[in-house]
Amino acid sequence: MNDLVRQHTALSETELEWLHLLVSEWQLLSDLSFADLVLWVPTLDGTRYVSVAQMRPNTGPTSYQDDMVGHLVPRGRRPLLDAALDEGRIVREGDPEWREEVPVRVESIPVRREGRVLGVIARNTNLLTVRTPSRLELTYLQSASDLAQMIAAGSFPFPGQQVDMDASPRVGDGLIRLDADGVVTYASPNALSAYHRLGLASDLVGQHLGDTTTELAPSRGPVDEALVKLASGWAPRETEVEGNGGVIQLRAIPLKPKGTRIGSLVLCRDVTELRRRERELITKDATIREIHHRVKNNLQTVAALLRLQSRRMDSPQGREALNEAVRRVGSIAIVHETLSQNLDERVEFDEIADRVIAMVSEISPGKVDCRRTGRFGILDAEVATPLSMVLTEILQNALEHAFTQGERGTVEVSAVRSGTGRTDGRLLITVLDDGSGLPEGFDPQRAGNLGLQIVRTLVEGELGGTFDMVRAEPRGTKVVLDIPSSPQK
């Protein structure tokens, strides 16, 4: 709509925002009217109309099989549009049009803002299925007529009250019509069922909706005056009401077709099961985070026990083996600590990589500078856990074997992410040191070192990637990992 309005019309940005506000609300008018809506705006030169938006009803058959947005029609071809634009009134004159052997009644509703008519809504009703209307349909049509008059007068939609139609109740969910005093004159079957869910044992018609709603959803303190006013339809508001184990969503729409409030529409929807599932998901998320937190604590306890055991060992080899195990357990604990703070099973791995680098660097304080370049990005837990262990082993191997006692050097971890999708990307990781390099004849794919065996198993088995270790130029060693950035099924 933005492109069409800016390309073909002289409307200002403020007026364009008004049209957006109208389009966010007009599903209500379409459903109440059982009709298609097409918004026509005059072009810059005033010789044509351009259709900038379209809405089909959820309550009846459509009148347009094709998409009308972007169509241009010359002024004069549709007299009802001209009359509504020029005279600023709702135009209903004329016989039904026939479209593909379907009779369609066409009406035009001027869209007014601050006294100026910005465009015209063409309301198109498919008459093929017209029958003697029920009380529900008569209430719908009367409410649609009131809303149309408010649009023509510039009092609907309500400024500053943009509604999320995906989350807001719709006409078919439940509709209640109130008089000027807030007394129910009509309640649809779905609306009555929603109130029965709150514990209502009688009919709604004839009852004051604000008082009834407050009684069904009592608060611990004084009477909730805001709820009384909202359920009475005094202001355009939304809220949720909970009582008797049920939850209903309410949306009030004051009706002022001639400037004076004559009543209100209250849309309602039973969201009991939806809220129950949401609470279950919240509880599940909290439970998962708690599990990760406890796993992290248990792993830290294991690491502490291993550290205590290493201090009691006389064998330097045994002590070093236990220290390596401490670092392996610690790398896994870092991932679980990060997962315990997230709502989903995904982590920002850059933070984990930095903590792993800092942890492993402790084995060579003051000698080797370890740093990270590039970004790992967000990874699933199934990738992050083995990758943290792989990174720990490679860094540990570099710090232990690439540099002699007291020698200074650098180890750089770089990460490059490729691919735009969550499931089709890859992660290229390079660990480069400027140490002594690999010994002659060294084959990383056959080396019996436990750390390299762990790396090969995790990279090729769990991560589904490749691992290589080669001499760097002019000196040092380069380890290259190429892995998918998402779990392999």
Side-chain angles (χ1 to χ4, degrees):
M1 186 167 73
N2 287 345
D3 294 340
L4 289 170
V5 168
R6 290 167 181 156
Q7 179 181 355
H8 294 286
T9 78
L11 297 182
S12 66
E13 290 298 317
T14 305
E15 291 167 334
L16 176 57
E17 284 302 314
W18 182 262
L19 295 186
H20 274 293
L21 187 59
L22 172 65
V23 168
S24 73
E25 294 270 23
W26 70 344
Q27 179 74 63
L28 176 63
L29 177 62
S30 178
D31 290 345
L32 290 172
S33 304
F34 308 98
D36 290 72
L37 305 179
V38 180
L39 178 57
W40 298 92
V41 180
T43 57
L44 184 62
D45 57 11
T47 62
R48 296 180 296 174
Y49 298 96
V50 58
S51 59
V52 297
Q54 179 179 359
M55 178 58 65
R56 293 184 172 90
N58 293 317
T59 53
T62 183
S63 301
Y64 286 110
Q65 299 298 326
D66 299 326
D67 187 2
M68 295 296 296
V69 175
H71 279 55
L72 290 162
V73 297
R75 185 178 172 88
R77 179 175 295 178
R78 301 193 177 183
L80 297 185
L81 294 182
D82 299 338
L85 183 69
D86 297 339
E87 301 172 24
R89 65 180 179 88
I90 299 175
V91 182
R92 296 190 176 92
E93 298 88 351
D95 297 326
E97 297 180 3
W98 286 84
R99 299 176 188 162
E100 299 179 359
E101 300 183 355
V102 175
V104 177
R105 182 176 66 241
V106 182
E107 303 167 78
S108 295
I109 304 168
V111 177
R112 192 185 306 272
R113 178 184 178 275
E114 296 182 352
R116 183 186 173 204
V117 177
L118 308 181
V120 179
I121 294 176
R123 181 163 56 176
N124 304 269
T125 307
N126 187 325
L127 300 178
L128 197 61
T129 58
V130 169
R131 60 186 183 278
T132 303
S134 64
R135 191 177 176 196
L136 179 144
E137 291 168 329
L138 289 173
T139 304
Y140 276 23
L141 293 172
Q142 179 58 53
S143 302
S145 177
D146 294 335
L147 282 178
Q149 292 181 58
M150 291 171 65
I151 292 173
S155 58
F156 187 84
F158 304 108
Q161 293 292 326
Q162 188 159 359
V163 175
D164 181 3
M165 290 306 298
D166 291 334
S168 183
R170 299 197 177 193
V171 170
D173 295 325
L175 179 140
I176 301 171
R177 175 88 186 213
L178 309 179
D179 64 14
D181 297 322
V183 176
V184 178
T185 59
Y186 177 78
S188 72
N190 285 345
L192 191 58
S193 296
Y195 266 81
H196 285 166
R197 191 72 178 262
L198 287 182
L200 180 70
S202 60
D203 196 0
L204 272 174
V205 176
Q207 299 195 42
H208 188 277
L209 189 65
D211 294 341
T212 301
T213 304
T214 305
E215 291 171 3
L216 294 172
S219 60
R220 296 180 180 177
V223 174
D224 189 345
E225 296 293 340
L227 178 59
V228 173
K229 287 186 176 181
L230 185 146
S232 301
W234 284 96
R237 296 286 188 273
E238 286 193 41
T239 192
E240 286 189 4
V241 180
E242 186 169 358
N244 195 40
V247 184
I248 65 171
Q249 190 177 14
L250 297 179
R251 181 191 176 198
I253 303 163
L255 296 176
K256 303 176 181 179
K258 296 182 180 179
T260 303
R261 182 174 170 275
I262 64 168
S264 311
L265 288 180
V266 176
L267 304 181
C268 60
R269 178 171 61 173
D270 183 353
V271 293
T272 305
E273 294 304 316
L274 178 63
R275 295 296 175 260
R276 182 183 62 80
R277 289 195 296 270
E278 288 178 351
R279 288 166 185 162
E280 287 179 352
L281 288 174
I282 291 172
T283 302
K284 180 181 177 182
D285 288 339
T287 302
I288 291 173
R289 290 199 300 273
E290 178 62 20
I291 289 172
H292 284 303
H293 181 71
R294 293 189 181 189
V295 169
K296 182 264 297 184
N297 288 343
N298 291 338
L299 289 173
Q300 288 181 336
T301 300
V302 171
L305 292 173
L306 291 173
R307 196 175 292 112
L308 286 173
Q309 184 65 39
S310 71
R311 292 171 184 170
R312 293 175 174 268
M313 296 198 68
D314 297 328
S315 168
Q317 292 87 352
R319 189 181 305 115
E320 183 56 34
L322 287 176
N323 287 334
E324 288 182 2
V326 167
R327 287 188 285 272
R328 288 165 185 153
V329 172
S331 67
I332 302 175
I334 291 172
V335 177
H336 283 282
E337 181 180 2
T338 306
L339 287 169
S340 70
Q341 301 168 1
N342 292 346
L343 291 175
D344 56 12
E345 292 290 287
R346 309 190 76 203
V347 296
E348 176 63 64
F349 196 80
D350 295 319
E351 178 185 350
I352 293 174
D354 292 340
R355 293 181 64 179
V356 167
I357 290 172
M359 177 183 68
V360 177
S361 296
E362 294 177 358
I363 66 176
S364 57
K367 292 192 309 176
V368 181
D369 176 31
C370 293
R371 57 176 179 264
R372 173 181 63 85
T373 61
R375 293 193 71 251
F376 288 86
I378 297 176
L379 299 176
D380 290 311
E382 298 172 66
V383 175
T385 301
L387 182 57
S388 67
M389 283 197 66
V390 167
L391 194 57
T392 300
E393 296 299 331
I394 294 174
L395 288 172
Q396 193 166 274
N397 187 73
L399 293 172
E400 286 183 356
H401 302 294
F403 306 96
T404 59
Q405 186 69 28
E407 184 181 5
R408 296 188 176 276
T410 59
V411 177
E412 182 178 287
V413 179
S414 67
V416 178
R417 191 97 175 241
S418 63
T420 57
R422 176 175 172 179
T423 59
D424 60 357
R426 296 194 71 81
L427 190 57
L428 183 65
I429 304 166
T430 304
V431 180
L432 179 65
D433 68 67
D434 57 0
S436 58
L438 297 174
E440 290 294 333
F442 180 82
D443 184 358
Q445 303 301 329
R446 297 178 179 272
N449 178 285
L450 176 61
L452 291 181
Q453 288 181 12
I454 291 174
V455 170
R456 285 198 302 268
T457 301
L458 292 177
V459 171
E460 298 172 1
E462 284 201 41
L463 296 174
T466 60
F467 156 71
D468 197 12
M469 178 183 286
V470 297
R471 284 180 174 272
E473 295 297 337
R475 58 172 291 172
T477 304
K478 181 168 71 172
V479 179
V480 180
L481 306 175
D482 186 356
I483 63 173
S485 58
S486 58
Q488 299 302 291
K489 303 302 182 183

